[in-house]
Structure formats: structure tokens, C-alpha cells
Amino acid sequence: MKLTKSKINDLLTQPGCEHNHNKEGQGKNKSCTQTANPGSAQGGCAFDGASIALVPITDAAHLVHGPIGCSGNSWNSRGSLSSGPMTYKMGFTTDLSENDIIFGGEKKLYKAIAQLIKKYNPAAVFVYSTCVTALIGDDLDAVCKAATNKYETPIIPVHSPGFVGSKNLGNRLGGEALLDHVVGTKEPEYTTAYDINLIGEYNVAGEMWGVLPLFKKAGIRVLAKITGDARYEEVCSAHRAKLNVMICSKALINMASAMKERYNIPYIEESFYGVQDMNRCLRNIAQFFGDQVLIERVEEIIEEETAKLDIALAPYRERLKGKRMVLYTGGVKSWSIVSAAQDLGMEVVATSTKKSTEEDKGRIKKLLGKDGIMLEKGSPEELLRVVQKTKADLLVAGGRNQYTALKAKIPFLDINQERHHPYAGYIGLVEMARELSEAVYSPIWTQVRKPSPWEIWQQEHESLLNLEAEGE
Amino acid sequence: MTTILNPNKSLSVNPLKMSQPLGAALAFLGLRKMMPLFHGSQGCTAFAKVVLVRHFRESIPLSTTAMTEVSTILGGEDNVEQAILTILEKYQPQIIGLLTTGLTETRGDDMKRILKTFRDKHPELDSFPVVSVSTPDYKGSLQDGYTAAVESIVAADYGNVPDDEPPTVGMKPQVTVLCASHLSPGDVEELKTVIEGFGISPIMVPDLSRSLDGHLEDDYHTVTTGGTSLTQLKQLNRSCLTLAIGESMRKAATILQERFGTKYKVFPRLAGLDAVDSFLWELSQILTSRCDHHFPIVPNVPAHLQRQRRQLQDVILDTHFYFGGKKVALALEPDLLYQTAWLLTEMGANIQAAVTTTKSPILEDLPIDSVTIGDLEDLEELAVGSDLIITNSHGTSLAKRLKAPLYRMGYPIFDQLGLGQRCLVGYRGTMKFLFDVGNILLEEEAKHSPVALH
Ligand code: SF4
């Protein structure tokens, strides 16, 4: 399917999306339609978003159709982990040259696909269009179709030119590609009564691996992971799940709602961050299936895990109690991390509401209390101002703000995509607690904040020097 | 003469190359109070930012004209104008570096015209410098983009030197040093110190050693805090000589010659005894040449450098055992490839494979029969059986597959610390390289020696 204006509009006005101010499908998702401002825009493009959503399918090849900028500057930079195939980690691109742009890139693309399949034999190939190939009008669909027929390997076009929008929209474009070409193309080997899909969890830093064992223990089977550490085939058969569980991300809401429509699979939204959320997630799934045995088993697991957790967290709770945190992250995380922090006895003095829905904001307000600050904007200056004003002990934000904090000599913890340690599930909370306490209590802070002896001397003698100067 | 192979594959696998806009942005970052501005969709800027932040572990100022589908169809003129005005208001830079991307080049945005219209519309900004450079992603590599930006920087007119500047008569001789993309902030710092040691004041263009060296400032900044200053750029005409470090800086040097009549010397590399010797000799001649020919003075090379030279000779002796006969495979941008390949060859190693990103005349003179303009897939094929691989961090997994150690060089390096300060040029830098690589080779040898088996 081609990328049309109405298609994009469709994606921006997902009726299921809580970002919609008007749930009847008329309102628009604010964070999706916000047009980028020249001179002050930050953040990735639609292509970036689409690859974030799809690259975690580990046995597929991801071929970027465009000049070197898109792929050369970005491949191999995300922390989504694989338990097996490594094909997804390779950078494939048509690396268009000036000639290709003048005469069109379709032939080169076809050849590239052919070579890729011959040499690397992937389970499938995702082909991403980018700004330039969209602009010169290469017919991605036609090339992919021809190649699919010829090579008997699924070749999936992903219409993701950067200029159509933000990373968020790109996520959904990735989801569209899955809906149009992947989901429902294969039957699972077997099904169980408790088959679920996880949607919108990309196994960054292996986070998912902290959670999957819990499902298994409870007797819940994850049919397809969309897309963290997924194999292509499992996504193909995702349409046979009984329930879609959207994780901490509205990014792929279009998939959840389309699958509800097409395959009658209901969906719920959950989070893996913090004890409360993790408990709620397990309970909600069990509740959905309504099986008494399952419900009991989940309760047992929760009890067991929280007991273990209390012991593991005790020393951290002690150290972190009353520490003040400024949080700057997007969407659902803004409140799920708040609750995780409060679990640890920390005080969240400010958080962002930039990508949050009205519902998110309501929840945040409740969690933060009346003194909590809600940040609409998150420019580095603004963040630093808030940290100073609230006398916060650390900043928790995405990697983009890491140096904002460090340069200002403020302890920092990275909460987004680029981090290297898993924070999800019960295990993740221990990891997060450990890192929070390491960040706050690191012996470096006194060193980097300390003036040199000569500066101290000068300060102490300032008045003396002034007197002398006056005396002259 | 080295044959240059340019297979021009339909499918590039594990790209070595990074884009021109990224390179241009890097060069711009070596100017003081600078904001680089990408004319394109916002993703290009975001990717470039991530790469540079990960590599240097510093905050990196970059901005975008944020082209959308609509502005792509209608033209990006308004976006450029709005972006410049917003940046001026929000960040107060002293200079803006405007670069194009694949998208706006394919569209055919006429930057000259756009800037002219902008100038006409905003006479109040007459004296504000906007350095513009064309850097389509579909041509060249990081090195080309960097080079193009330096050429634009030295070609731009920054207005007159303020009148209250002290006269230059009787002051130290000034030279312009053009620093190519293979020089790290640490390299630039070293170069500067060496030159100053001769009693010469250098203007480094660009000067990454003050912007990307990693240092703490007292306040928060949204533009670069160090680098070549506007005043220095205005004073380029006062230099008695241009030292172009890296072959890619040749054209920029000729631009300065055309503009100000400044003579130039190109030093394609600054690592290895001979290379550094001839560089220092040239520096010593700058002062000597100012003297009366009838009373020649002894070339005055600072004592600490003379001492370093003896140290380097000793290091060469100590380390050469481990380099001798070793097969090394390299995938680097042309200037860096040239410098590294020759240094290794001078140590007795053999260059087994050379892969690079873009064309350069210097590729014809490599210590190997052929060099491939290609990607890391090419390197993997050519490097089978090598004792050492030298490329960027993307080479980690291929080095593992080939069971050879990896020494990281180039961009991006995201799994190593201290790159801002790493210096691999001059006598000191050469020693550092020989120790670094020597230790790797020594360790490998120990691993494979029969003693290790017991
Ligand atoms: S904005 Fe366009 S050209 Fe730039 S990285 Fe994204 S898809 Fe590629």
C-alpha cells in the first residue's frame, strides 16, 4: 500500500489512541501532528521510528533504500538484543549515488534485494523508503512485489520517508507494514488457551528477558513479540493470539486497534516498570482470561516475587529514601517511572508531560501531589532551572539530556532507548535501584564540584584584596 | 602506484562510510560560538547528533530546518529563514554553519539565492556570518563533507579586522593550520603546542581542541564554547604561511593563497619519524627565513621535541619486533588510511587490505597494490588471515569472526573512552600509536605462543 495523505491522517487520528483529545476519531494526536519547528526541532524522523519498531525482528534483513546518510549514520546504534540470529544488526543500504537519483533507484534496489537474499538468506527483507527515494518517486511496492515473487522470500515495503513526520509516526508506519504484509500470513504450529502478543516492547538492553520467565511460570504463552527479539515467523502468526498486551508505548496503537478490528483480538495497555505496574500487568492478563487457576498462580508469583524484591531492595530503599528526582521522559513512562521511584521511597519533584495524554496527566498529578511540577517543555535550560529550584538530587531522562546534567554536575540516569541496563520487571527494579543509588552516591560529585585551592584562596582573600586596592 | 577499485555495488553491507553533512557539521563544530544548521528533514540532524554525542561523549549543538513533506514540495526557503532567526534568538551564536542534505539537494534548493533573499530581507543581520556549504548525502563521505565545510570557512568574508587590534609588526609570525578530518581534538592540541613551541602563533582551522576536547564550563552553553574564533577568522590574511595537514586540505590552502597570497605546504601525514621530522624542519625554517641570509642562524627546534625524537627512536626499536611481518587490514577514510598505512609499513608490517570511503588523489600512493572504495563486507573478505584489523567500532563483530584483534580508529567509535584527548600525531602521538598497537600485537603473540598452552 502506498503512503497517501489520507493514510497518514488515519495514523495520526487513531481512534484507539489516548493521545486523541477527541476519542470519536476526530481529534488528532497532538504529539504526532506537531509540526517540527525550523531551528528548534529535535528528534528523529519517520524512518528512524519505523526502524526502531521493525529492526528488533532479528532474523530479518533491514535494507535502507536511500543515500548513505540514513543508514550510514544510524545502523548498529540501538540496544535491542537478540537471543539468536544477528541478521538484524547488519547495515544494508542501496547507498544511492547521484546517477541513481537522476535515473531512479528501482533497478539498483531490485539488484540489492537479489544479492542480499542470495548471500545472507534472511527470513524476510524489510525495505525502507527514505526522503530522497520518496522524492524521486521510486515505486517501492512494485519492486518488493516483483522480488517477492522471484525469490520466494517475503520482501516488505516500509513507507517511511523522514519528512512525513516524527519518530512516533514512524513507529506506526512500521506497524502498518506489519499489518499489511506480515500478520496473518502464516498459522502458528499450535495454539494454547492463553496466547498473548506483546506489542511495543523492543527488548532494549534485554529488558524483555526479565519478564518472559514470569509469563511462562504463570502459564501464559507469548505467541508473538512485536517486536523485541522476535523471529519473523512468530509475527506472521500473531493473529491467532487471544489478547494483545501493549507495553508502555502508544507507538504501535494502530496495530492493536487494527488487530481488534480484523481478528477480534482485544488489547490492554500495561507497563513493566515498577512493582505496582508489573503486578497489575500480570493480574490484568489473568483477569482477562478469567481462569481461576491462572489467577491464583499469578497471585502466588506476585507474592513470591515481591517478597524476594523487598529483601533485595531493602538496602537501596534506605539509601534512596527522601532523595529528590526530576524526571524527564515521554508518554506512559512519565507516570510508570514515578510509581517505581515512589516504591523506592524517592520523591519525584518534577516530571514531563510533553508526550502525555490527558489521562496520563491525571495520573501524574495524583502521584506527584500538589507540589509536583509538571514540565511542558524540556529545553536543557529549563531542566537545569527546575533541578536548581527544587534542589533535586538527580535527573532521570533520555540519553539526549545526559550531558545537560553531567555538564551541570548533576547525577544522571538514562531511562530511554540507548541505555544499557534493563529496568523492566521485578529484576529490573533492583537494577534501577542499584543504579539510582550509584548515581546519587558516587564519590565523584564532590570532586567535580570542588573549586581549586587557588580559587578558594582567592575567594577568601577577596575582601582583603579589595581593601588593599582601596588603600592604594 | 596503487590501483583504486570502485566496485560500486548495488548493495552496501555494513557501511563504513558516513555522510557528508555529518562531516561538515564536525568541521563547523571547530568554530567558536557556532551553531551548525542542517537544511533537511529533522532525522538527518538527529542521527548526526547521536553519532557525535556517542563518539565524543559531549553535548553537541546541532539544529535543523525541519523540512516536512509540504515544505519539500513548496521549497525550503521559509524554513531556512525561520531556522536562522530562531537560532539567533534562542542560542545567540556568533556564526552559523548552513549545510544541505540529500533531500534538499535532490529538490535542488538554490542556497545562494535563498541566502541572498534572506540578506535582502534582513539588512539588520548584514554582518552576521552564515557559512554555507553544499553536502549532498548521495556523494562523497564524512571526509568530503568536512573538507567542503573547511573550504567554505576559509572562503567566507568575515568583514574587516577591528581597528583597535594591535599591529602585527614585530609580533610572532602567524601561520594558518588547516586541520583535516583525520585529526582528533587531541591531535589538534598537540599540533598547536608543537607549533607554539617554535615561537610561532598558529590559527587552527577548524580547532576541535577547544570545542570537543571535553572540559567543564561554569555555565550551561547551547553553542560551542571553544574553537576558532571569529576574530581569528578575520585575521587569516595575516598568516605568513598555510600548513595544510592532510591531503584533503590542499584545496582550502589554495583558496587562502588566492585570497591573500599566502604560500602553503601540504603535510599528508604527521605520524612517523620522517613525517614529523620534515614538519618540524619546516617550522624551524619559518623563523630562520626571517633572518639575514648572510648570517644564517641555527634552526631552533625546542629541546623537548629533540628529546621526544630520541624517545621515539627508542620506542621504534623496542616495538618493531611485534610489527615485523604482521598483516594488517585497514578500513579508514583516505587521509587517515594514508597516515596509518605508511606508519605501519615503516615499522615493518604489511598492509594486507585497504578499504576506504571516497576518492582522493592520495589513494594512488599507498603501500599496497590496490585499495577498495567499499564497505565492511569488503573488508571482511579481504582481511581473512590478518593479524590486526584497524577500523571504527562497527568492525567489532567482523574482527571477532575473523579472530583478529581490532584497533579502533575513525568515526564512529562508541565503545571506547577518551577519544577526544587521544593524540596519534607528532613524535608523542606516534609513540602512543606504537605502544597501543604494539601492546595488542604483543598480547596476541603471547596468546598463541606454545608457552601459553601450558
Ligand atoms: S530525515 Fe530523511 S534523509 Fe534524513 S535520515 Fe530521515 S529518512 Fe533519511
Side-chain angles (χ1 to χ4, degrees):
Chain A
M1 196 180 76
K2 276 260 173 65
L3 194 62
T4 61
K5 204 68 252 163
S6 74
K7 179 83 219 165
I8 290 180
N9 254 327
D10 242 27
L11 289 175
L12 294 175
T13 51
Q14 281 291 304
C17 180
E18 288 177 28
H19 285 296
N20 273 329
H21 300 139
N22 179 341
K23 285 234 180 164
E24 266 58 70
Q26 257 117 83
K28 286 197 174 183
N29 173 349
K30 201 165 125 244
S31 70
C32 281
T33 47
Q34 263 167 3
T35 42
N37 280 329
S40 60
Q42 298 275 328
C45 59
F47 157 66
D48 193 8
S51 49
I52 289 174
L54 299 178
V55 168
I57 302 176
T58 56
D59 55 356
H62 301 269
L63 170 59
V64 182
H65 184 38
I68 197 67
C70 315
S71 162
N73 298 354
S74 73
W75 73 283
N76 197 10
S77 66
R78 301 266 169 199
S80 154
L81 300 189
S82 165
S83 57
M86 295 305 279
T87 318
Y88 77 120
K89 278 278 178 204
M90 301 187 72
F92 294 107
T93 174
T94 48
D95 183 9
L96 294 189
S97 66
E98 196 165 22
N99 258 342
D100 304 321
I101 284 162
I102 298 167
F103 298 109
E106 290 169 11
K107 273 216 187 85
K108 194 172 193 187
L109 175 60
Y110 189 84
K111 269 200 219 151
I113 296 173
Q115 282 174 20
L116 201 165
I117 291 177
K118 223 157 115 206
K119 194 150 178 203
Y120 296 95
N121 192 28
V125 184
F126 288 90
V127 182
Y128 302 77
S129 70
T130 58
C131 289
V132 170
T133 44
L135 187 62
I136 61 176
D138 275 2
D139 190 342
L140 212 60
D141 291 314
V143 176
C144 289
K145 202 160 167 206
T148 305
N149 292 339
K150 176 94 193 271
Y151 297 103
E152 287 170 358
T153 301
I155 319 286
I156 299 113
V158 186
H159 294 280
S160 55
F163 58 60
V164 297
S166 66
K167 213 147 80 173
N168 276 350
L169 176 64
N171 280 180
R172 290 185 187 182
L173 293 170
E176 280 311 288
L178 294 181
L179 285 170
D180 289 345
H181 301 278
V182 185
V183 174
T185 56
K186 206 159 192 159
E187 291 304 319
E189 259 170 48
Y190 67 96
T191 53
T192 76
Y194 308 121
D195 281 353
I196 64 167
N197 295 323
L198 296 180
I199 299 186
E201 160 56 64
Y202 305 136
N203 201 33
V204 173
E207 227 163 38
M208 192 185 263
W209 295 331
V211 181
L212 289 180
L214 300 172
F215 289 133
K216 197 161 180 202
K217 213 161 150 193
I220 299 162
R221 184 231 202 171
V222 178
L223 180 65
K225 303 172 296 285
I226 302 175
T227 53
D229 193 18
R231 306 296 178 269
Y232 181 73
E233 266 199 12
E234 67 182 77
V235 186
C236 293
S237 56
H239 62 300
R240 292 296 177 220
K242 312 281 185 300
L243 174 68
N244 275 332
V245 181
M246 307 253 320
I247 300 306
C248 246
S249 164
K250 303 254 178 347
L252 288 177
I253 181 86
N254 56 320
M255 282 205 78
S257 60
M259 285 173 82
K260 188 171 162 195
E261 228 168 80
R262 276 185 217 173
Y263 309 109
N264 209 10
I265 307 173
Y267 68 90
I268 53 175
E269 290 173 44
E270 301 296 337
S271 153
F272 292 157
Y273 294 109
V275 187
Q276 304 306 337
D277 283 12
M278 195 58 230
N279 292 351
R280 184 168 41 226
C281 169
L282 289 172
R283 283 191 180 122
N284 285 349
I285 296 173
Q287 214 66 53
F288 169 83
F289 288 113
D291 177 322
Q292 207 45 46
V293 183
L294 183 62
I295 292 173
E296 272 161 35
R297 210 158 38 210
V298 158
E299 286 308 322
E300 271 165 39
I301 291 172
I302 289 175
E303 199 175 315
E304 197 181 304
E305 292 290 334
T306 34
K308 266 201 287 185
L309 197 59
D310 274 338
I311 298 170
L313 286 181
Y316 299 115
R317 285 202 167 118
E318 190 133 309
R319 295 177 64 141
L320 292 172
K321 199 170 151 219
K323 293 288 173 209
R324 300 155 70 81
M325 166 199 296
V326 169
L327 180 63
Y328 188 76
T329 177
V332 189
K333 261 189 232 152
S334 43
W335 55 263
S336 64
I337 299 285
V338 174
S339 78
Q342 289 176 342
D343 266 344
L344 296 169
M346 297 180 73
E347 194 183 332
V348 178
V349 288
T351 188
S352 64
T353 51
K354 204 175 129 206
K355 285 191 224 156
S356 308
T357 61
E358 288 306 316
E359 212 177 317
D360 287 339
K361 282 185 198 166
R363 271 185 231 172
I364 295 168
K365 233 183 215 139
K366 259 223 280 314
L367 283 167
L368 244 53
K370 64 173 185 355
D371 292 336
I373 300 171
M374 316 249 281
L375 295 164
E376 262 300 332
K377 272 201 238 118
S379 67
E381 298 91 335
E382 178 68 10
L383 281 180
L384 291 178
R385 207 181 52 77
V386 170
V387 168
Q388 237 163 28
K389 205 176 87 188
T390 56
K391 300 207 169 53
D393 296 291
L394 89 164
L395 175 69
V396 177
R400 185 189 301 285
N401 278 307
Q402 175 163 348
Y403 295 98
T404 309
L406 295 185
K407 289 283 170 190
K409 303 159 195 169
I410 298 163
F412 175 84
L413 192 68
D414 187 348
I415 203 71
N416 277 355
Q417 290 283 344
E418 294 82 8
R419 69 179 178 276
H420 296 291
H421 308 281
Y423 298 145
Y426 302 105
I427 301 177
L429 196 61
V430 181
E431 177 68 24
M432 187 156 99
R434 194 180 63 77
E435 287 188 23
L436 281 168
S437 107
E438 240 153 57
V440 174
Y441 283 98
S442 169
I444 68 154
W445 299 116
T446 44
Q447 296 171 56
V448 295
R449 289 173 185 150
K450 194 174 160 184
S452 64
W454 42 96
E455 281 163 326
I456 297 174
W457 185 89
Q458 201 159 10
Q459 270 164 22
E460 280 171 2
H461 289 68
E462 200 98 287
S463 47
L464 212 65
L465 292 171
N466 282 343
L467 275 181
E468 267 170 31
E470 270 167 35
E472 267 167 29
Chain B
M1 207 171 103
T2 309
T3 320
I4 299 164
L5 307 173
N6 192 358
N8 216 342
K9 307 193 286 188
S10 295
L11 175 69
S12 169
V13 183
N14 297 342
L16 170 69
K17 189 164 64 165
M18 306 193 83
S19 72
Q20 281 215 72
L22 180 57
L26 179 62
F28 281 142
L29 288 170
L31 306 187
R32 198 159 166 267
K33 298 217 171 185
M34 149 65 75
M35 176 60 86
L37 171 61
F38 285 61
H39 182 33
S41 275
Q42 58 172 340
C44 305
T45 315
F47 283 143
K49 190 160 183 155
V50 170
V51 169
L52 293 169
V53 166
R54 281 178 99 200
H55 182 92
F56 289 107
R57 296 175 196 263
E58 291 297 321
S59 58
I60 303 283
L62 292 186
S63 56
T64 171
T65 60
M67 295 288 283
T68 60
E69 202 170 10
V70 177
S71 53
T72 299
I73 295 163
L74 300 179
E77 201 161 324
D78 292 347
N79 287 55
V80 174
E81 179 186 358
Q82 205 189 326
I84 295 178
L85 295 178
T86 308
I87 291 168
L88 284 175
E89 191 201 313
K90 273 180 82 169
Y91 310 117
Q92 290 112 34
Q94 271 181 9
I95 182 166
I96 287 178
L98 176 61
L99 50 107
T100 57
T101 59
L103 176 67
T104 47
E105 288 281 346
T106 307
R107 255 210 98 250
D109 275 1
D110 180 350
M111 297 314 284
K112 269 212 185 93
R113 210 205 67 236
I114 291 180
L115 274 176
K116 186 171 178 307
T117 320
F118 177 82
R119 292 292 183 197
D120 292 346
K121 254 174 105 176
H122 298 281
E124 77 279 8
L125 298 174
D126 255 358
S127 60
F128 184 84
V130 177
V131 178
S132 162
V133 56
S134 154
T135 47
D137 296 85
Y138 50 75
K139 267 198 235 166
S141 70
L142 182 146
Q143 178 178 307
D144 297 302
Y146 181 102
T147 304
V150 175
E151 285 160 12
S152 295
I153 291 168
V154 296
D157 184 2
Y158 302 95
N160 292 329
V161 188
D163 286 340
D164 53 0
E165 288 293 325
T168 46
V169 193
M171 288 175 66
K172 290 180 186 172
Q174 172 189 307
V175 295
T176 302
V177 187
L178 298 174
C179 304
S181 63
H182 66 305
L183 299 176
S184 73
D187 291 336
V188 177
E189 180 75 36
E190 174 73 9
L191 253 171
K192 200 171 5 180
T193 322
V194 166
I195 295 169
E196 278 164 355
F198 280 82
I200 300 167
S201 21
I203 294 185
M204 319 300 282
V205 183
D207 187 355
L208 295 180
S209 79
R210 286 295 185 271
S211 56
L212 290 175
D213 58 325
H215 63 272
L216 283 180
E217 292 275 334
D218 288 334
D219 316 308
Y220 181 76
H221 294 271
T222 39
V223 293
T224 51
T225 54
T228 324
S229 69
L230 206 51
T231 317
Q232 283 178 318
L233 289 174
K234 286 181 182 169
Q235 292 176 346
L236 286 177
N237 61 339
R238 294 182 182 174
S239 293
C240 63
L241 182 69
T242 301
L243 302 168
I245 313 299
E247 176 62 34
S248 62
M249 290 293 108
R250 186 180 292 273
K251 181 157 169 231
T254 61
I255 293 174
L256 286 171
Q257 186 177 38
E258 275 159 31
R259 289 188 67 192
F260 309 122
T262 321
K263 284 211 178 73
Y264 68 87
K265 283 261 153 65
V266 181
F267 296 87
R269 64 181 170 118
L270 278 193
L273 188 79
D274 276 350
V276 183
D277 278 357
S278 61
F279 181 64
L280 298 192
W281 175 252
E282 188 60 41
L283 289 177
S284 75
Q285 293 308 299
I286 293 173
L287 283 182
T288 313
S289 66
R290 296 182 134 203
C291 297
D292 190 333
H293 290 297
H294 301 290
F295 305 98
I297 57 166
V298 185
N300 192 9
V301 175
H304 74 278
L305 291 175
Q306 299 194 31
R307 188 172 162 71
Q308 275 180 17
R309 186 172 192 277
R310 290 170 190 280
Q311 287 174 334
L312 173 57
Q313 285 175 319
D314 188 60
V315 172
I316 291 172
L317 286 172
D318 292 346
T319 54
H320 85 282
F321 300 105
Y322 306 101
F323 284 83
K326 289 285 154 53
K327 290 175 283 181
V328 187
L330 308 165
L332 299 167
E333 295 238 51
D335 280 351
L336 194 55
L337 177 67
Y338 180 87
Q339 167 161 298
T340 316
W342 275 110
L343 176 53
L344 287 163
T345 307
E346 285 169 356
M347 289 301 295
N350 299 320
I351 306 303
Q352 170 171 336
V355 177
T356 193
T357 55
T358 182
K359 285 190 195 123
S360 160
I362 205 153
L363 296 175
E364 291 175 1
D365 178 28
L366 287 171
I368 179 171
D369 291 338
S370 69
V371 52
T372 309
I373 298 183
D375 51 32
L376 293 178
E377 184 187 53
D378 297 316
L379 178 70
E380 191 158 350
E381 275 161 21
L382 295 167
V384 176
S386 292
D387 299 297
L388 175 71
I389 313 268
I390 300 186
T391 189
N392 61 32
S393 284
H394 289 311
T396 317
S397 54
L398 85 91
K400 245 185 231 155
R401 286 192 290 273
L402 294 175
K403 297 196 173 55
L406 172 73
Y407 185 68
R408 290 164 184 78
M409 266 188 155
Y411 291 93
I413 300 177
F414 42 74
D415 50 359
Q416 218 163 45
L417 300 167
L419 293 166
Q421 293 178 10
R422 184 172 75 170
C423 162
L424 300 177
V425 300
Y427 293 136
R428 234 163 44 93
T430 307
M431 286 190 264
K432 159 95 177 138
F433 178 84
L434 295 183
F435 284 142
D436 277 1
V437 176
N439 279 330
I440 294 174
L441 295 171
L442 182 154
E443 230 167 80
E444 279 306 294
E445 252 176 44
K447 252 192 242 165
H448 298 124
S449 82
V451 188
L453 298 175
H454 302 295

